[in-house]
Amino acid sequence: MQQRPRNFDKQIHNEEYKAHLYEPRLTHEGMFHDAYREKELLNGLWHFQVDQYDTFLRSEWYKEELTDKEGRAIPPEYNYDQWDVVSVPSCWNIKDQRCFYYEGIGIYTRKFKYVNRGEERVFIKIGAANYETRIFLNKQFIGYHKGGSTPFYVEVTDYLEKENRIQVVVDNSRRKDTLPADNTDWFNYGGLYRDVALFRLPKTFIKDFKLQLQPGSNMKILQGHIRVDGPEQEGEALLRIPELNIKQTVYVKNGKASIEIEAHPELWSTDTPKLYKVEITYGEDVVKESIGFREIMVKGTDIYLNGEKIFLKGIACHEESKENGKAVTEEEIVENLRVAKEMNCNYMRVAHYPHSERVAQIADTLGIMLWEEIPVYWTIEFENPETIADAQNQLLELIKRDQNRASVIIWSVGNENPDTDARLQFMKNLALKAKETDATRLISAACLVDKISNIIDDRLSEYLDIIGINEYYGWYDPNFEKLPQCFENSKPDKPVVITEFGAGALSGHRGTRDDFFTEDHQYNVYKRQVEVLGSIPYIKGISPWILFDFRCPRRTNQYQKGYNLKGLLSGDKKHKKLAYYVMQEFYRDK
Ligand code: GCB
């Protein structure tokens, strides 16, 4: 151990200041079932401060030590209540013009009251914060979370007082070891951009609850599990689905129970997105759910929903709006799904990271199937144990969050990753983990074609149910003839879904079909693409890139100006480009 210099000053010399701020780590294990639980939102105006030098953590501002040991005043370097306020949820890039390109640390703080209602356990949930988050409550560090788009939960029962101060330190610095890593094709928004909520639960509560149609049961068996948390590890739970006349006692032992019930539900489908109210009671706790029952499977190169062959008529979508960045509103989510439906879609690729949990809840009610994805994007540190653990945790957080959503039919473990041995190992493990955790959905990934032999031949395919393929013939690769050739060269034994194709066009910009960035050029690429894709028997779905234009710092020409223009709609979602109608027509006739 290096000796501490005699003039060591903790405030400025201590580079180990963060070492004790990684535990407790908030992971999928700390999640609880909250889909339709009562909650108290801690949204609203929070004080906010950019913290470029990480001084909050370095100087332990959370301790609010404003005097020395003898009680003499120390000059304060902060005053939480004088900081500017921002609304939560939001992205700091949007709410404060000075922060548009800011990447780094931001501190959020507010006060709230708490009145104890007797025997209760209290938790705080953060819907998402990008990317690394530390939570402090009443001068104590209570949890650390990694991952920019999944929810996390921390128990605060023992930290609460009548008047509380919470601080949330969010760091969106791009790094090599994160997911995604430092290089992506979208904007790196920062902040506390989904709801912050407080939950009061009984001493023993239902922590996890899943109920789905058992695959291969002729659509007659509802299967699932319950996990409880708290001192009452043994007892009877009551499961009720009034509309199906189901009232079943389930025995909980060691905090766990399996569910298996024979039933004949009306099946959830895109035409009739039937949802059932499900209720589970255990001791004082009740959880409610709204669940659609459906079976999704593949056989040969076909995809079946409830035993019938389907074609995934889709569109890819980012989580963004011009006005709100990633902190999209309920209305914006509904509007995106509505426009997709109007385009005759029955499916959406929710790329490249988990979007708000409201997306799947709303898609459940509208009858739109979803592909959900974790941000294993392009090149990441496939061999770094910390990155591996982070990816697995994000996957499990996503699965746990949306495990009861009928709309979610595919878990995607990544996008356009280089086919190296390390990547194969990394993604194979994710695919196997997803399957082992959830057998009621299909596993996929958006892969690239082998560019040298022009063939679909990604080694990861072996571990996938559906092979996703991104291809940009007619755009990045102007030799369009290679598209039909590639399909001719390939003999996949599984369904292929074209997870991306596309071309950029500035809304309203017209020209010939040879002029880049005109709607005419984009239209032409779409026309040629669907003509080929529609004729390949093993292609069982398409999700062109992308529903609307989105912010992207890599795109800097005179048309793009910081936007990726491959949208079928403009960035403000007001203008439909010509190519939109190509898809609308193609899907109508498909
Ligand atoms: C891709 C990526 C997507 C990009 C898109 C593009 O293959 O998966 O994230 O935005 O291409 O526009 O280049």
Side-chain angles (χ1 to χ4, degrees), residues 196-381:
V196 182
L198 185 133
F199 290 85
R200 302 174 193 243
L201 308 182
K203 283 238 139 161
T204 299
F205 63 90
I206 300 162
K207 186 166 177 178
D208 188 20
F209 159 54
K210 178 179 180 187
L211 192 67
Q212 295 282 283
L213 208 51
Q214 182 184 317
S217 70
N218 274 326
M219 293 161 264
K220 287 197 187 88
I221 295 181
L222 309 184
Q223 190 193 40
H225 65 252
I226 306 175
R227 305 253 184 286
V228 304
D229 190 291
E232 307 302 328
Q233 293 280 300
E234 236 144 271
E236 288 180 3
L238 183 67
L239 184 148
R240 294 195 324 128
I241 310 177
E243 233 186 303
L244 290 173
N245 284 322
I246 290 174
K247 207 170 171 184
Q248 178 139 340
T249 304
V250 184
Y251 297 95
V252 176
K253 239 186 138 182
N254 297 325
K256 296 179 187 170
S258 303
I259 308 169
E260 205 173 293
I261 306 169
E262 207 186 309
H264 301 273
E266 183 188 326
L267 299 176
W268 182 96
S269 72
T270 51
D271 291 333
T272 53
K274 173 71 190 160
L275 299 175
Y276 288 94
K277 296 262 171 280
V278 181
E279 195 179 291
I280 296 234
T281 313
Y282 184 73
E284 290 168 53
D285 199 23
V286 187
V287 294
K288 295 191 172 128
E289 258 293 13
S290 190
I291 305 183
F293 300 106
R294 53 101 190 97
E295 183 189 72
I296 189 83
M297 58 177 287
V298 299
K299 217 178 342 164
T301 59
D302 283 305
I303 308 174
Y304 293 81
L305 176 68
N306 303 330
E308 283 175 27
K309 286 185 192 173
I310 52 164
F311 188 89
L312 302 177
K313 306 185 216 178
I315 183 71
C317 192
H318 260 299
E319 179 175 54
E320 184 181 85
S321 74
K322 241 184 155 135
E323 294 75 26
N324 297 306
K326 272 179 84 58
V328 294
T329 63
E330 177 98 5
E331 293 73 38
E332 289 167 339
I333 294 171
V334 171
E335 179 58 12
N336 291 345
L337 292 165
R338 190 198 63 75
V339 177
K341 269 208 116 153
E342 190 182 287
M343 204 167 96
N344 297 318
C345 290
N346 60 11
Y347 162 76
M348 184 179 272
R349 175 180 179 206
V350 178
H352 284 299
Y353 40 76
H355 295 201
S356 159
E357 57 208 69
R358 291 294 293 146
V359 174
Q361 289 172 356
I362 297 167
D364 263 13
T365 65
L366 296 179
I368 297 184
M369 296 177 282
L370 301 179
W371 156 302
E372 291 199 330
E373 185 162 305
I374 52 168
V376 177
Y377 185 85
W378 289 353
T379 295
I380 58 160
E381 293 192 344

Side-chain angles (χ1 to χ4, degrees), residues 185 352 377-378 415-416 470 472 476 500 545 550 555 564 566:
D185 194 41
H352 284 299
Y377 185 85
W378 289 353
N415 181 77
E416 292 187 351
N470 291 357
Y472 280 89
Y476 295 122
E500 290 179 29
W545 193 252
F550 58 95
R555 312 286 176 174
N564 182 318
K566 295 192 189 69

Side-chain angles (χ1 to χ4, degrees), residues 4-13:
R4 247 187 197 186
R6 292 165 61 92
N7 66 349
F8 183 83
D9 183 330
K10 201 173 160 201
Q11 293 286 328
I12 52 179
H13 296 147

Side-chain angles (χ1 to χ4, degrees), residues 1-2 4 8-22 54 57-60 62 134:
M1 255 252 291
Q2 257 198 336
R4 247 187 197 186
F8 183 83
D9 183 330
K10 201 173 160 201
Q11 293 286 328
I12 52 179
H13 296 147
N14 179 20
E15 284 305 317
E16 302 300 311
Y17 66 96
K18 260 197 308 213
H20 62 293
L21 299 175
Y22 291 91
D54 217 2
L57 301 185
R58 279 180 197 277
S59 295
E60 303 183 316
Y62 52 92
R134 290 185 170 84

